[in-house]
Amino acid sequence: MYLSTPQLWPALALFLLLALPMVVTDARESRLPLPLNLGLLGAGAVALSITAAWVGFEHLIWAAVSCGIATALMLILFVVSRGGLGFGDVILVAALALYSGFISPLMMFAGTWLGSVATLGWILVRRRRGFHGHAPFGPGLILATLLVLVAPVATT
């Protein structure tokens, strides 16, 4: 089951409505607005719970498990990074894991991995050009999750 399932379209629309402004804000200001971040998490939980009534509640269980695993791992990274990772990133990954985990836990890992690799690549490119400041983590995570959610539609 992928986003080609019409029952998932409202949840995807909600994802786009809340996540894309976060990409812009994090890229410009290096911060993830808490209302949008919590809105993405809370509204996603509600939308996916409603969607589970049509597509099966096992997807909601996978979403919750994925969200829990991703949050635990990000909390560990948050503590270990000592300020290199913001708490907004922890909340964001929880929300993204909820959406991608609804499809499959493997999608959650794929989105997080792709987003991390993309952000690392962006940091390396910027450092080669002499910039040593902070690079936002959110845009890479959001865009990679969107790619993971939408890419299977193009292949079906």
Side-chain angles (χ1 to χ4, degrees):
M1 178 196 67
Y2 294 108
L3 289 175
S4 58
T5 306
Q7 292 88 347
L8 290 172
W9 293 350
L12 177 62
L14 186 61
F15 177 85
L16 292 171
L17 180 69
L18 295 169
L20 293 181
M22 291 172 61
V23 169
V24 174
T25 303
D26 200 18
R28 286 184 183 165
E29 303 172 16
S30 292
R31 70 177 189 87
L32 292 163
L34 188 60
L36 285 176
N37 219 346
L38 291 176
L40 184 65
L41 181 61
V46 170
L48 293 172
S49 295
I50 293 168
T51 303
W54 283 288
V55 298
F57 285 101
E58 66 275 2
H59 293 285
L60 192 59
I61 293 168
W62 282 119
V65 168
S66 297
C67 183
I69 290 170
T71 303
L73 292 174
M74 286 300 288
L75 281 172
I76 292 168
L77 288 175
F78 175 73
V79 170
V80 171
S81 73
R82 298 181 187 190
L85 185 68
F87 195 71
D89 295 317
V90 176
I91 298 169
L92 176 64
V93 167
L96 298 177
L98 191 67
Y99 278 93
S100 56
F102 191 84
I103 307 298
S104 161
L106 294 176
M107 292 293 189
M108 180 269 296
F109 286 114
T112 304
W113 182 81
L114 281 173
S116 299
V117 169
T119 302
L120 178 61
W122 177 245
I123 290 169
L124 293 175
V125 166
R126 289 176 62 171
R127 288 213 172 141
R128 283 194 87 193
R129 295 184 178 173
F131 183 80
H132 294 287
H134 174 74
F137 196 40
L141 288 172
I142 292 170
L143 295 175
T145 299
L146 183 60
L147 177 67
V148 164
L149 291 175
V150 176
V153 173
T155 61
T156 56

